[in-house]
Amino acid sequence: MNMALTQMLRKCVREAAQRPALRQGAEVWTYGDLHERSARLAAALHAHGLQAGDRVGMLAPNGLLYPLFMWATWWAGGVINPVNVRWSVAEIAYALDDSQTRILLVDEPFVATAQALRGVSTSLQTLIYCGSGVTPEGMLSLRELWATHAPAQDHGGRDGDLAMIMYTGGTTGKSKGVMLSHANLYVATLGSIAMSPRPMHGRALMVAPLFHIAALGTSLRMLRQQAQQVFLPGFDEGAVLEAIEACGITDMFLVPTMIRRVIDHPDFARRDTSSMRSITYGAAAIDPTLLERAMTAFPQVQFSQAYGMTELSPTITMLTPEEHLPNPKRAQRLRSAGRPMLIAEVRVVDEQDRELQVGQVGEICARGPMVMMGYWNLPELTAEALRGGWMHTGDAGYFDEDGFLYVVDRIKDMVVSGGENVYSAEVESVVTQLHEVSQCAIIGVPDARWGERVHAVIVPAAGQTVTLEAIAAHCHQHIAGYKCPRSMEIVEALPLSAAGKVLKNVLRAPHWQGQGKGVA
């Protein structure tokens, strides 16, 4: 079977050419529009030197043009390189040069960044301006390219061909280019649909950044189900509620921090959210209190949790809507990441890669057709990550007796205090039960007696005061003493990556300066 991604777009055109595919503000593209414009841009990319397997970058917020970039590049036989818009010029230049990306599409807000890249990047040759204003000097106009090129034939490649290089966030050092094939993304899309079926032709609100695998994977799923994707350029909780009401949104993917902000918005109660039918959450841990609040706020919505990583295209386990319904083990199940996807084999291993028994904590590993091809130009790191044919995630977890996976921490985020392993996610879950606490991040900081001590970084709830004594007293009621925070700091907000993950390396750095220990 040929699993070229462009098959998905061709199927949509055959079956639903006049159906709305993309919407941004008042502008709506049908599937026929997306197909024709992708084919025209593909022809333009060929005219400007794109060869099969060449990389094309995109520097833009969410919008109509992002799917255009994806599908045009694949239609031309190229490889997409979605650029993290929050990176510095130097970080972007590294991702372009490491992957030898010569063509970059640039939307209006990032013209200055693109111009700065000219003097830094050694690979960048062609800039295509996607904005609506006057085309900056030295750039090509996307709309002129549309007008002057006839649609190209599909050069979409085959199963094992490289489809995307997505650079990891770089929060633990220099970014790595994760290589995903057409088959990786195609199978992952089908696996997600099979695990959590939804009706065709929904309306999905796209607010998570498309340069992140969770949002990009959601976009592929929505196209495969001939849904309409409604774009906001960035996340704003007020705009999300307005869009749900105005556009009759049925589906969303949100990270936990987004869910919190939506349901805490002062306009939430007066907005009509009755069209909503499904919310998928993931990309970061969710505390049980927040999940319960969200399910109460959206009583008609089916919730599902997706767990995975970029290297896994991205999902390997899912907590399905059925497991969110009342059942005898519901409270326990909601703390899990669900069961393995139909396409994924998952196990938990010790430091010698020996499979562990039920209830034993070790490293989560996975194999299957969704596992990455490897890291771009990093054969040693690839071999280490994929040793024995299994992708080693770097996450610590365990299985219960019913085959549900529990993710207890990133291995690098585990605190070792007095020889005892403390999993930060467990402590964070307990601390955030306090109504005085809005958010909590647990990190390890140097301690002369214990080596490391458990340290809480707290964002108080609005108008609330939090003390270490209150946190410690609450924690002692629920977890062992060695797991309880021994120190605390109050902050206005936690540092987050573009994917909504807490940047614990940023929180740890001031505490470990001069300690002789690298900050993970």
Side-chain angles (χ1 to χ4, degrees):
M1 178 183 178
N2 180 16
M3 295 186 184
L5 290 167
T6 51
Q7 283 195 60
M8 294 187 188
L9 183 56
R10 294 204 310 270
K11 178 177 173 62
C12 289
V13 173
R14 283 195 304 270
E15 300 175 2
Q18 299 307 311
R19 182 172 292 279
L22 311 174
R23 175 176 176 177
Q24 184 176 10
E27 188 172 2
V28 178
W29 292 6
T30 66
Y31 277 102
D33 294 332
L34 176 60
H35 168 254
E36 181 184 6
R37 291 167 186 176
S38 296
R40 288 181 180 275
L41 179 54
L45 294 174
H46 285 155
H48 288 85
L50 181 76
Q51 302 291 319
D54 284 354
R55 277 68 65 196
V56 180
M58 181 66 157
L59 187 60
N62 283 6
L64 300 171
L65 300 180
Y66 224 103
L68 173 71
F69 148 70
M70 292 160 51
W71 294 104
T73 302
W74 290 329
W75 200 266
V79 176
I80 65 170
N81 176 9
V83 177
N84 188 328
V85 300
R86 297 178 65 177
W87 281 350
S88 67
V89 170
E91 289 170 315
I92 294 172
Y94 171 79
L96 298 178
D97 294 346
D98 183 60
S99 60
Q100 298 177 304
T101 299
R102 296 184 295 105
I103 301 174
L104 180 66
L105 279 67
V106 182
D107 206 356
E108 193 166 353
F110 302 101
V111 167
T113 301
Q115 290 171 335
L117 284 168
R118 291 182 185 276
V120 180
S121 172
T122 58
S123 64
L124 189 57
Q125 296 178 9
T126 303
L127 293 172
I128 299 175
Y129 177 64
C130 302
S132 57
V134 176
T135 302
E137 184 178 354
M139 297 187 187
L140 302 173
S141 165
L142 173 67
R143 285 163 176 77
E144 287 183 13
L145 294 177
W146 279 347
T148 56
H149 288 82
Q153 296 296 312
D154 184 7
H155 293 79
R158 299 191 65 82
D159 307 18
D161 291 344
L162 183 61
M164 175 170 69
I165 301 176
M166 180 168 278
Y167 281 81
T168 58
T171 61
T172 60
K174 190 166 286 188
S175 297
K176 303 185 292 293
V178 176
M179 298 188 294
L180 298 179
S181 69
H182 282 261
N184 286 153
L185 294 169
Y186 196 111
V187 170
T189 300
L190 297 182
S192 176
I193 293 171
M195 195 75 172
S196 181
R198 296 174 193 161
M200 297 282 284
H201 309 146
R203 290 176 297 280
L205 186 61
M206 305 296 293
V207 292
L210 280 161
F211 56 77
H212 183 262
I213 188 64
L216 192 145
T218 300
S219 181
L220 290 178
R221 172 176 177 150
M222 292 303 155
L223 181 132
R224 182 65 179 80
Q225 295 191 285
Q226 298 174 9
Q228 180 183 167
Q229 298 177 54
V230 180
F231 294 94
L232 295 178
F235 177 77
D236 175 88
E237 52 269 45
V240 167
L241 290 169
E242 183 178 346
I244 292 173
E245 184 176 84
C247 302
I249 296 299
T250 59
D251 303 272
M252 289 192 298
F253 169 83
L254 298 173
V255 302
T257 53
M258 293 177 179
I259 293 175
R260 183 188 302 276
R261 288 170 59 180
V262 168
I263 64 178
D264 283 346
H265 194 276
D267 287 345
F268 182 83
R270 70 178 186 85
R271 287 292 188 180
D272 181 5
T273 61
S274 60
S275 62
M276 285 295 304
R277 67 188 185 199
S278 78
I279 292 176
T280 301
Y281 59 95
I286 190 168
D287 70 76
T289 303
L290 173 59
L291 180 55
E292 292 284 359
R293 289 183 59 214
M295 290 190 293
T296 300
F298 290 100
Q300 81 284 8
V301 167
Q302 292 187 331
F303 282 79
S304 56
Q305 178 188 175
Y307 163 70
M309 60 195 306
T310 305
E311 290 88 335
L312 296 168
S313 305
T315 307
I316 57 169
T317 70
M318 183 172 287
L319 189 67
T320 64
E322 289 74 18
E323 296 299 338
H324 288 74
L325 299 176
N327 65 78
K329 294 187 176 182
R330 180 174 178 267
Q332 175 185 337
R333 294 284 187 261
L334 291 182
R335 297 197 301 272
S336 80
R339 285 169 162 156
M341 304 280 285
L342 299 176
I343 60 173
E345 186 178 359
V346 183
R347 67 178 186 174
V348 174
V349 302
D350 64 14
E351 293 179 354
Q352 287 74 47
D353 283 344
R354 296 173 300 200
E355 188 166 4
L356 295 172
Q357 300 299 310
V358 167
Q360 292 182 301
V361 175
E363 184 174 11
I364 300 167
C365 298
R367 68 179 178 186
M370 72 294 156
V371 173
M372 69 171 180
M373 301 169 70
Y375 296 117
W376 179 265
N377 283 338
L378 295 170
E380 293 182 359
L381 282 180
T382 297
E384 173 64 17
L386 298 179
R387 63 186 183 273
W390 293 80
M391 176 65 208
H392 290 66
T393 67
D395 286 340
Y398 65 92
F399 278 108
D400 71 10
E401 65 279 1
D402 295 317
F404 285 81
L405 181 69
Y406 295 76
V407 183
V408 298
D409 214 347
R410 286 292 294 169
I411 290 175
K412 65 181 178 61
D413 288 340
M414 183 176 68
V415 181
V416 182
S417 183
E420 296 281 2
N421 294 342
V422 179
Y423 298 108
S424 61
E426 178 187 13
V427 184
E428 289 160 0
S429 177
V430 172
V431 173
T432 52
Q433 292 174 7
L434 289 167
H435 75 274
E436 296 93 348
V437 175
S438 174
Q439 292 176 278
C440 169
I442 295 295
I443 60 173
V445 299
D447 187 274
R449 180 179 180 185
W450 303 107
E452 287 184 297
R453 70 175 179 273
V454 179
H455 181 78
V457 184
I458 301 293
V459 179
Q464 297 294 318
T465 300
V466 187
T467 66
L468 178 61
E469 291 74 21
I471 289 175
H474 172 73
C475 288
H476 276 290
Q477 295 177 15
H478 298 278
I479 52 179
Y482 68 88
K483 300 178 182 179
C484 298
R486 298 174 183 271
S487 56
M488 178 184 81
E489 62 187 287
I490 300 294
V491 297
E492 292 185 358
L494 297 175
L496 301 176
S497 73
K501 296 182 180 180
V502 177
L503 298 174
K504 291 192 175 181
N505 59 316
V506 174
L507 297 176
R508 283 191 292 258
H511 298 278
W512 288 97
Q513 284 181 352
Q515 295 293 321
K517 175 180 176 177
V519 178

